[in-house]
Amino acid sequence: MHRRNLLTSAFALGAYTTPLSRWLAVPEDPDASHPGSRRVGRQDLDALWDAAAHAQRQDSRYGGGTREASQVGRILRERAIPLLHGGYTDAVGRELYAGTAELARVAGWSALDMGHHALAQRHFIQALRMAKAAGSMNVGCHVLTNLALQTTLRGYPDAAVDMAQGAFDRARHKAAPRVLAFAKLIEARAHARLGDRRAAAAALADSERLLERADTAPGPEPSWIRYYTPARMSADAVEIHRDLNLPAAALRWNEQATPMSATDFTRSVGLRMTLVATAHIQRGELDRALADGQRAIIILSSVRSARAAGYLTDVVRAMAPRRRDPRVAGFSQRAHQAIVLSTTRTS
């Protein structure tokens, strides 16, 4: 594990089979200590967590194609991996592995956001192995949930359901409620892609209950999961109900998602506006769809994200039956310009 390099290959769902099975079977290594001349201390650990948190904020605001977001892979290779060769106790080692897992997860998410799914997969596999070394149910559950989300986005929602359920069931007695709530949210998203309204509703309700428990009876929880708030859950619920062709429900959830700041969560808010636009199209409300679609273009203009481009493309496709309308033609042209810009990585 210390010598493993980040390799690239084509995305393959089967590549997740062994890492997933190993974590579900034995999620904790017995000892995380390591001998070495260079002692790893508190300052090293804090620097790793700070780097991961900063990269996640940059990714949320500007997308995975920005220079700062994309640099997390370099930080992982040049700062985190060398520390694994140092000397540390079991307690320090477990936190070191946890911090490295979070860096690898953020690197994977940034790669995924720009459509580099093979690289994202390698980062996620590394993150899950690091989580096992850390012996952290919180980290392992969260990483596996990210694997499930990528699997959903790659078109395998049935496998993603199994992943999300496995993450939840293995960690349900040890992980923080907010971490478990996120696993249930991603399960709901996978069910929605399968068109299973009942299962999606049940998983979303479980996520809502766990999130309420986390907010009303707070206990120890990792700082990196605090982004998952009721507003964030509502934003994802918009997509869940859009995918289920329930536009009225999608629009109701959108009202609860408005507290999310477009300054701090630029990409998420922009993506949500594309979903709202498509929900209006499902209801036959072209004027409102055009207004929300235009707002999405404005918000996403500062984001570098292949996912953002994909969501904008979905809006254009949904409006295709009305393409002879001059307003739709104008919107499509502006959207295509934004799509080109979104997929251009900043230097």
Side-chain angles (χ1 to χ4, degrees), residues 110-266:
S110 294
L112 180 154
D113 192 53
M114 283 305 292
H116 304 315
H117 288 280
L119 180 58
Q121 187 173 27
R122 292 294 178 174
H123 281 305
F124 287 150
I125 290 173
Q126 185 183 42
L128 190 60
R129 181 62 187 93
M130 295 289 176
K132 186 176 185 295
S136 171
M137 279 293 188
N138 281 317
V139 175
C141 180
H142 192 229
V143 170
L144 183 49
T145 302
N146 276 250
L147 267 66
L149 181 52
Q150 183 194 27
T151 301
T152 297
L153 296 174
R154 293 300 290 161
Y156 302 96
D158 49 347
V161 168
D162 294 338
M163 287 183 181
Q165 289 177 341
F168 178 85
D169 290 340
R170 194 67 178 88
R172 65 188 306 170
H173 299 301
K174 293 186 178 181
R178 200 178 304 272
V179 175
L180 296 172
F182 187 66
K184 280 296 177 182
L185 174 77
I186 301 310
E187 181 188 339
R189 287 189 57 167
H191 284 307
R193 289 292 178 99
L194 290 167
D196 191 334
R197 294 185 177 184
R198 180 176 296 181
L204 184 60
D206 287 341
S207 182
E208 190 171 18
R209 282 193 292 269
L210 286 162
L211 194 55
E212 182 178 4
R213 184 196 307 173
D215 288 335
T216 57
E221 68 176 17
S223 59
W224 42 256
I225 194 60
R226 291 174 190 160
Y227 69 87
Y228 187 46
T229 63
R232 167 61 196 270
M233 182 195 70
S234 300
D236 280 54
V238 174
E239 183 163 3
I240 288 168
H241 290 87
R242 191 285 306 266
D243 288 346
L244 292 170
N245 198 26
L246 296 171
L251 295 174
R252 286 195 299 272
W253 279 104
N254 179 58
E255 295 176 359
Q256 300 180 50
T258 54
M260 287 190 72
S261 166
T263 300
D264 295 329
F265 303 100
T266 309

Side-chain angles (χ1 to χ4, degrees), residues 5-42:
N5 294 321
L6 299 178
L7 305 177
T8 58
S9 64
F11 177 90
L13 180 60
Y16 282 149
T17 301
T18 298
L20 173 62
S21 298
R22 286 175 176 170
W23 185 81
L24 291 174
V26 183
E28 302 181 14
D29 282 358
D31 183 18
S33 64
H34 187 264
S37 57
R38 201 277 200 200
R39 299 301 296 177
V40 178
R42 182 76 257 165

Side-chain angles (χ1 to χ4, degrees), residues 325-336:
D325 187 315
R327 298 172 301 165
V328 173
F331 171 80
S332 297
Q333 183 178 7
R334 292 189 296 274
H336 283 302

Side-chain angles (χ1 to χ4, degrees), residues 275-299:
L275 298 168
V276 172
T278 54
H280 282 306
I281 295 170
Q282 289 174 337
R283 287 166 59 94
E285 299 168 344
L286 181 60
D287 289 343
R288 299 186 68 178
L290 286 167
D292 287 318
Q294 180 59 32
R295 185 182 174 198
I297 289 175
I298 294 171
I299 294 173

